[in-house]
Amino acid sequence: MPQSRKEFDAVVIGAGSAGSACSLFLTRAGLRVALLESRPLEQAGARWVNGVPAWMFEQAGLATPAPPESRGEAPAFVVTDAALHSRLRVEPSPVTTVDMPRLCARLHRLCNDAGVEIFDRFHTQSLKTLDARPVSLAGEVRTTARSARGMIFKAALFVDASDRAGAEEFLSRNRLRPGEVLAATGVDGGFSTSSLQLDADLETVDLLTGSIAGPGQRGGPALMGELKNSRPWIGRRISGGSGLVPLRRPYDRLVAPGIALVGDAACQVFPAHGSGTGSGLLAARALSNAVAGKLDPGSLDALWTYQADWQRGFGSLCAAYDVFRRYSQSLDGDELAGLLGSGILGAASFKAGLDQVMPRQSFAELSVSLRELARAPGMWGLVPQLVRMGAARALYRRYPTESNQRALARWSTAASWLFGETSVCL
């Protein structure tokens, strides 16, 4: 097969929200960028709605989504247990409900306008390296079902950003107003959740489910089927999809000479509820800031700046919340209901999790939490987890700022010990 050759400063693999934003920011920083996507471009990225705090768009330098890309902020976010007995109301909801296909489409338009060269239906065949650093990527672009053209992309930097009436009765029964979000946690034990939001006109409903599937536990699609089947008033599907989300603390190492990971490829997902849109945008901004103006954007020194800045910043927050995620995953449905109904974690704590920031309780709220914790001996296991959350945040803020493999190995050993892991996550 004849192959055409193209040379760029950077090649980004994956045209979801993180990859598209990364391509846009790198181009605006003066780099010549190619964006590669294995699917048709209109199918790239998440196919569902997602809750994203507005501050993350602002910090990334993107306009906050507007209708119809955004459903706006919900009047309230109601967290409940699977049996709907215990509930916690966060009012108003701190997140904007974003239509992910429309967000990706906007980013693709911005990429086109900025001069990013986009190649969809691209399938990787081989990666050529020189002294352990990638120098070119070979593959083919499908032009028809039976034909393709070979292409070789040369670049100084390669970025992996691949993915891995009845209504009225429902609102009345659950004491909800139109537009509010009802989220149930522990629907199938451990880390499993489902949420539902009816729009103000009662015309459309957004459903979202997720879980860490394991022995005796169902995955997100099975929970979605159960959620929809239990509410026969829900009509035909308008849009949607499913995918795997890497739910764990971020990888210790995000870069190597000529290579950078962003988004799902770097496990840059907020562990408390599995949203990676905002963190991917922040990572894309951090990467473009680190390599802007560099003669060699793929040099380890330039990329290490991105790695250290992200880990010390939003990465430290993800690590702290991953401690809580691991703890909540170990609880059964009754224990989760007890935690929700105890008053130990008040609305301020849940709001902080939705807004992807650390909780800031007032003295009065902290006094209530401590009093309720003293009354619930079964919840005392939460105390060491809160201590570990603080330790994780402090450790990530000491991530090595210089390109030093020994220092990184020592840091990773400490992180693995803190999280009870048997191996270093490099």
Side-chain angles (χ1 to χ4, degrees):
M1 177 191 302
Q3 293 180 314
S4 60
R5 297 175 180 268
K6 288 186 172 286
E7 189 165 342
F8 296 89
D9 296 314
V11 172
V12 179
I13 305 164
S17 55
S20 299
C22 187
S23 300
L24 175 65
F25 298 153
L26 290 174
T27 301
R28 288 178 174 175
L31 278 68
R32 292 169 297 125
V33 179
L35 175 59
L36 312 183
E37 170 59 44
S38 62
R39 292 167 291 188
L41 187 62
E42 63 273 13
Q43 298 176 14
R47 299 287 93 193
W48 49 84
V49 296
N50 203 358
V52 185
W55 71 264
M56 305 184 89
F57 288 98
E58 296 167 3
Q59 187 166 318
L62 287 172
T64 304
E69 182 183 312
S70 167
R71 308 280 208 277
E73 293 183 353
F77 195 102
V78 182
V79 184
T80 181
D81 65 292
L84 304 180
H85 292 154
S86 301
R87 59 171 45 215
L88 189 62
R89 188 182 192 89
V90 179
E91 188 174 10
S93 172
V95 301
T96 297
T97 304
V98 179
D99 185 306
M100 293 302 296
R102 284 191 167 99
L103 171 61
C104 288
R106 171 162 65 109
L107 291 171
H108 296 158
R109 290 193 298 271
L110 291 172
C111 283
N112 273 316
D113 294 343
V116 177
E117 290 196 46
I118 303 176
F119 301 85
D120 63 352
R121 300 176 176 87
F122 177 82
H123 299 278
T124 301
Q125 293 176 327
S126 63
L127 179 69
K128 184 178 180 180
T129 61
L130 179 63
D131 296 329
R133 175 172 173 173
V135 293
S136 66
L137 181 70
E140 63 178 22
V141 174
R142 303 297 302 181
T143 53
T144 68
R146 295 186 178 182
S147 62
R149 58 190 175 101
M151 301 196 71
I152 296 177
F153 294 91
K154 296 184 64 179
L157 170 63
F158 291 83
V159 180
D160 187 353
S162 54
D163 292 333
R164 313 266 153 168
E168 293 175 350
E169 189 274 335
F170 169 80
L171 293 174
S172 174
R173 184 175 70 252
N174 289 282
R175 304 193 301 280
L176 296 171
R177 295 189 295 268
E180 295 182 344
V181 179
L182 178 65
T185 185
V187 294
D188 198 31
F191 189 96
S192 56
T193 183
S194 68
S195 68
L196 184 153
Q197 180 183 19
L198 273 162
D199 73 354
D201 298 324
L202 306 187
E203 292 291 333
T204 60
V205 57
D206 296 326
L207 308 176
L208 182 66
T209 60
S211 75
I212 298 180
Q217 283 187 274
R218 294 160 293 167
L223 295 178
M224 175 64 72
E226 180 180 284
L227 177 62
K228 186 177 183 301
N229 293 336
S230 65
R231 292 162 174 81
W233 49 268
I234 298 177
R236 65 178 180 85
R237 189 176 84 167
I238 299 174
S239 65
S242 63
L244 299 177
V245 176
L247 201 62
R248 48 151 291 149
R249 68 186 181 94
Y251 286 139
D252 292 354
R253 183 170 183 169
L254 309 178
V255 303
I259 301 175
L261 305 179
V262 299
D264 285 3
C267 290
Q268 291 169 328
V269 172
F270 192 66
H273 45 65
S275 176
T277 302
S279 54
L281 296 179
L282 297 181
R285 171 56 66 187
L287 176 58
S288 67
N289 288 345
V291 304
K294 299 294 191 297
L295 292 177
D296 181 3
S299 68
L300 186 58
D301 286 340
L303 296 179
W304 199 287
T305 299
Y306 149 66
Q307 176 174 259
D309 287 351
W310 195 88
Q311 297 281 32
R312 285 179 163 228
F314 198 74
S316 69
L317 188 75
C318 290
Y321 271 96
D322 193 50
V323 172
F324 183 79
R325 189 271 305 174
R326 293 174 184 227
Y327 169 70
S328 64
Q329 185 181 332
S330 69
L331 303 179
D332 59 28
D334 291 339
E335 290 170 329
L336 283 169
L339 182 61
L340 280 174
S342 66
I344 297 172
L345 299 179
S349 296
F350 275 93
K351 183 177 181 180
L354 292 171
D355 205 18
Q356 300 186 44
V357 297
M358 288 300 291
R360 293 182 179 179
Q361 289 184 311
S362 66
F363 179 78
E365 291 169 332
L366 181 60
S367 298
V368 172
S369 296
L370 292 175
R371 183 180 69 244
E372 296 304 323
L373 181 61
R375 294 176 177 176
M379 294 290 116
W380 288 356
L382 179 61
V383 175
Q385 307 308 320
L386 297 177
V387 174
R388 289 180 66 215
M389 287 179 70
R393 190 155 169 79
L395 177 63
Y396 269 70
R397 285 178 163 175
R398 295 179 62 84
Y399 191 91
T401 56
E402 302 293 332
S403 175
N404 186 315
Q405 301 298 335
R406 289 186 177 180
L408 177 57
R410 289 194 296 269
W411 184 92
S412 294
T413 299
S416 294
W417 176 83
L418 178 63
F419 282 85
E421 297 165 349
T422 57
S423 61
V424 175
C425 298
L426 289 173

